[in-house]
Amino acid sequence: MKFQVRTEETEQKITIVAEGELDLSTAPKLTEVIGQSVGRTDKLLEMDLGALQYIDSTGLGVMISMLKERDRLNAGVAISNIPPKIKRLFDITGVSRFLGGSRQ
């Protein structure tokens, strides 16, 4: 499935919805979208992975960079709707420990 990413904004949060396969060839697209919102400390930044089918090490790196930047800014971040196979990858690679209050 082709990778798609879109942003939805409410008064309380900015949600980035990622769909399809996040890999070396599609990571720059996600990086660009995250870059437009990561500095918005006035709102929670949520990453909705419910329709994400695949993520490789480059995609993991993008997610980790986002988490680190939000932590540096002392700004809220949440990862929601994590598919089981991606949650397992997060667990195996140790990314899960950085997700804190993320919702599945």
Side-chain angles (χ1 to χ4, degrees):
M1 177 182 196
K2 182 180 173 187
F3 182 74
Q4 296 179 9
V5 62
R6 70 180 186 281
T7 304
E8 301 168 355
E9 187 169 346
T10 66
E11 287 187 29
Q12 294 81 27
K13 69 181 174 179
I14 299 168
T15 302
I16 299 171
V17 181
E19 303 175 6
E21 298 182 358
L22 176 56
D23 59 23
L24 178 64
S25 66
T26 58
K29 191 176 195 179
L30 180 61
T31 300
E32 180 182 337
V33 171
I34 289 172
Q36 296 168 3
S37 302
V38 74
R40 297 275 310 273
T41 59
D42 58 319
K43 297 184 180 197
L44 173 71
L45 181 60
E46 176 185 38
M47 178 74 66
D48 183 335
L49 303 181
L52 194 65
Q53 296 177 338
Y54 173 82
I55 185 169
D56 72 358
S57 60
T58 305
L60 279 173
V62 171
M63 300 287 292
I64 291 168
S65 294
M66 176 194 67
L67 292 167
K68 285 182 177 180
E69 181 62 12
R70 292 296 283 188
D71 184 59
R72 186 187 72 76
L73 296 169
N74 198 28
V77 64
I79 311 296
S80 63
N81 302 314
I82 305 170
K85 64 183 177 182
I86 293 175
K87 173 74 167 86
R88 185 169 185 273
L89 179 64
F90 285 178
D91 291 345
I92 291 169
T93 59
V95 172
S96 292
R97 69 176 181 232
F98 299 106
L99 300 180
S102 299
R103 301 181 314 262
Q104 291 186 29

